[in-house]
Amino acid sequence: MRKQIVAGNWKMNNGLSQTQSLITDLRNQTKTSDAEVMISPSFTNLWSAFDTLRKDDIEVIAQNMHFAEDGAYTGEVSAGMLKSIGIKTVILGHSERREYFNETDELLAKKVDAALAKGMRVIFCFGEELADRKAGNEEAVVGSQIKNALFHLGAADFQNIVLAYEPVWAIGTGETASPEQAQDMHAFIRKTLADTYGNDVADAVSILYGGSVKPANAEEIFSKPDVDGGLIGGASLKAEDFFAIVNAF
Ligand code: PGA
């Protein structure tokens, strides 16, 4: 059985007191699904969030990291630093990192390797832009994003990989991929995995959908057979909305 996961991508939101009050609100919610729940405060609030939630059923994860172990990379945070405060999962390859910080498939492959080398789990994001979809190139784009950044890995490495398909045209736009569009792409992704790594690996990897998931559309999207959860941006900043999505399974 694949893991069902709902992860909140907080992005560059919430200072210390807002982080603490959102966490208080999250702890007051009731979880009725079996989904794993994760939140990703900014680096400055990771430790306090982790410390507050260490006995709760909510994992605190990071939004990014550098590929190097340590050294002269001013302003960066390494996998070892994240691990040193108890963080075990990191989001890599978000389209905002690709677009605004020039993260390439090649760079992301190095980040993935660095995270896995530290025994961390990676939520690896990818997705096509609107122009790609309009041109009918969405599968070619997604296929190459996955292959370029991940297909040097061994089969066993995929135990620590979660995939997050996030069509760029659906992120923060209010426009969601239809449940059928999500299912079609997730099935393509799973087949792409199966073609290289076999069905056992492909069937075990959780594939999340991200892009304007809300309480109103989560249930239908999550009902699709190859959709194993969601990476949630805007709606993860309100505890009630986030848990409505968590409980949509
Ligand atoms: P959104 O963001 O839910 O606000 O569209 C999703 C994401 O960027 O992960």
Side-chain angles (χ1 to χ4, degrees), residues 9 11 94 96 166 170-173 210-213 231-235:
N9 178 8
K11 310 192 180 188
H94 191 277
E96 289 148 18
E166 299 203 303
I171 295 176
T173 58
S212 299
V213 178
L231 183 57
I232 318 299

Side-chain angles (χ1 to χ4, degrees), residues 1 20 34-35 59 63 73-74 83 88 98 131 141 143 159 173 216 226 229 232 234:
M1 221 339 231
Q20 289 297 348
D34 291 332
E59 185 182 346
Q63 298 176 20
Y73 297 98
T74 301
K83 282 212 80 181
K88 298 194 188 76
R98 293 175 190 260
V141 169
Q159 289 167 12
T173 58
D226 285 297
I232 318 299

